[in-house]
Amino acid sequence: MEKKKILITGKGSYVGTNLIEWLNQWPNQYEVTEISVRGDEWKKEDFSKYDTVLHVAGIAHVSTDPKMEEQYYKVNRDLTIEVAEYAKIRGVKQFIFMSSIIVYGDSSSNKRIIDGSTVPKPSNFYGNSKLQAEEGIKKFESGSFNIVVIRPPMIYGKNSKGNYPKLSKAARILPLFPDFNNVRSMLHIDNLSEFLRLIIKNEEQGLFFPQNKEYVKTSEMVKDIAQLHGKDIKLVKIFNFVLKPLIGKVNIINKVFGNLIYDMEISGYKENYQIRNLKESVKKSM
C-alpha cells in the first residue's frame, strides 16, 4: 500500500506534534512533514507531492483586545484561505481545516446542546475568524479537492495549553472545589489523533464534530485528577450561588463551569476513534 503523504501547516502545534507521534505507529502507511506558514517561505514547499494538507496554523486563544482583531482575521481567515487555494492549485487531494466549537458562541448557564441544525453564532472575533475561514475555503471544493472542516470542543492531554492545565493545577493544590452541575463536550488528544488518521485514511470530506464518548462535569474531572495525584479534594456547593450569575459574564468562570455540548448523534463515525475513556484520558494527561 502506498504511503499517505501529509503536510501539516503550523510547525510545533499541539495537534500537529501529537498527530506525528501518533502516526509513528504506522511507519509504512503515513509520511508526515510539518512547515511554518509565517511569512512567505512556505510557498517554496512543493505541495504537489502531498495527498493531504492539515491546516492547524492559527491564533488559538480568545483575546478581547480590539488591537488583536485584525491579526485574528489575517491569520485565522486569510491565511487559511490562501493555503487552501495554494494546495488546490498544486493538486493536493484533501485539505483539513481545524476550526472550533467556538463558532457556536460561548457556553451558557443552562444546558446547551448543539446538533446538526444549530446555526453557528460566534460571540467574538476568534469564533468569527474561524467561521469566515470555513466559508472562504468552501468555494475551492471539487471532485478532486476534498475539504474537511473539524469543529472540536476543548482539546486536552499531556502538555496541552488552555484551561485544562489550570484545572489540573487547581486539582493538585486546592482543598475545596465547587460542586457545580455543568456538562461539557471535550476531546482527548489521542481521540483526535485517531480521528484525523481515519479521516485521512478514508479520504473524507465534509463537516465533523469529534468528541469523547462521555460528557464532562468539571468538578468530577477535577476530583479524578486530584485522586490520580494522591490528593483528596472536597467538592462543595457553597460557592454555587456566586458562580451561577457570573456564567456568561466572566470569561474564565464561563469556560470552567458553563454548559456546551455536542449531541452525541453528530459525533459518530463509521470507525471507532474514541479509544480513550475519560478516566484513561485524565491519567494519560498527567
Side-chain angles (χ1 to χ4, degrees):
M1 189 170 79
E2 205 173 314
K3 276 187 186 181
K4 288 270 184 200
K5 291 187 173 64
I6 302 154
L7 178 67
I8 299 174
T9 52
K11 198 164 189 177
S13 71
Y14 185 66
V15 170
T17 302
N18 278 276
L19 180 63
I20 290 167
E21 204 176 298
W22 188 254
L23 294 179
N24 283 340
Q25 297 174 85
W26 299 272
N28 300 321
Q29 292 178 44
Y30 305 97
E31 186 180 305
V32 191
T33 305
E34 59 172 354
I35 61 167
S36 168
V37 283
R38 292 182 184 200
D40 287 323
E41 280 292 299
W42 62 271
K43 291 172 186 170
K44 293 177 182 171
E45 182 70 29
D46 179 12
F47 275 45
S48 66
K49 62 187 179 187
Y50 298 106
D51 301 295
T52 296
V53 168
L54 170 61
H55 185 67
V56 292
I59 310 175
H61 296 291
V62 180
S63 167
T64 51
D65 182 354
K67 290 185 202 141
M68 286 292 293
E69 185 165 0
E70 190 184 342
Q71 194 63 15
Y72 270 75
Y73 286 108
K74 195 174 168 187
V75 176
N76 288 352
R77 179 192 63 195
D78 301 346
L79 182 62
T80 301
I81 294 167
E82 191 180 3
V83 174
E85 184 173 26
Y86 194 87
K88 180 175 183 173
I89 290 166
R90 275 146 189 84
V92 175
K93 298 183 191 78
Q94 184 188 47
F95 184 85
I96 303 174
F97 173 52
M98 290 297 296
S99 186
S100 170
I101 196 170
I102 201 76
V103 300
Y104 294 104
D106 291 323
S107 42
S108 68
S109 55
N110 300 314
K111 193 170 178 182
R112 189 162 170 233
I113 305 171
I114 296 162
D115 62 23
S117 64
T118 307
V119 177
K121 196 179 174 187
S123 55
N124 53 51
F125 47 76
Y126 170 47
N128 205 31
S129 65
K130 285 286 191 183
L131 186 61
Q132 287 186 23
E134 289 183 20
E135 289 162 353
I137 63 176
K138 271 181 200 162
K139 62 188 176 206
F140 302 130
E141 189 157 52
S142 67
S144 58
F145 189 60
N146 289 349
I147 287 181
V148 173
V149 171
I150 297 176
R151 291 179 183 162
M154 182 174 127
I155 298 164
Y156 69 102
K158 195 175 177 66
N159 302 319
S160 61
K161 293 171 185 161
N163 291 308
Y164 185 81
K166 291 172 191 163
L167 282 176
S168 183
K169 189 177 179 184
R172 296 194 302 274
I173 61 171
L174 295 178
L176 306 173
F177 194 82
D179 186 4
F180 195 84
N181 208 13
N182 74 320
V183 61
R184 297 193 76 89
S185 288
M186 288 177 68
L187 182 61
H188 185 258
I189 190 64
D190 287 356
N191 291 340
L192 174 58
S193 295
E194 177 61 2
F195 184 74
L196 287 168
R197 184 185 78 83
L198 294 172
I199 290 292
I200 292 163
K201 175 178 78 92
N202 297 328
E203 299 174 1
E204 293 286 2
Q205 66 177 65
L207 178 60
F208 296 91
F209 313 88
Q211 65 175 325
N212 289 348
K213 64 175 78 160
E214 308 119 299
Y215 295 133
V216 174
K217 179 181 172 183
T218 304
S219 55
E220 284 175 3
M221 177 179 251
V222 166
K223 194 169 178 68
D224 284 346
I225 295 168
Q227 284 174 344
L228 283 165
H229 285 276
K231 305 281 180 187
D232 186 27
I233 196 166
K234 195 169 175 64
L235 300 180
V236 294
K237 294 185 185 289
I238 54 171
F239 306 111
N240 290 7
F241 78 99
V242 178
L243 289 171
K244 195 165 174 71
L246 295 176
I247 293 171
K249 296 188 180 102
V250 179
N251 202 22
I252 186 68
I253 290 174
N254 207 34
K255 284 180 177 174
V256 174
F257 297 107
N259 295 276
L260 189 62
I261 59 171
Y262 281 133
D263 187 328
M264 285 291 174
E265 286 285 308
I266 64 170
S267 296
Y269 188 62
K270 59 191 175 192
E271 292 184 65
N272 180 41
Y273 66 90
Q274 295 162 323
I275 50 170
R276 304 266 179 255
N277 66 31
L278 190 59
K279 275 211 161 34
E280 277 178 312
S281 74
V282 168
K283 198 169 185 179
K284 280 191 71 72
S285 303
M286 286 170 69

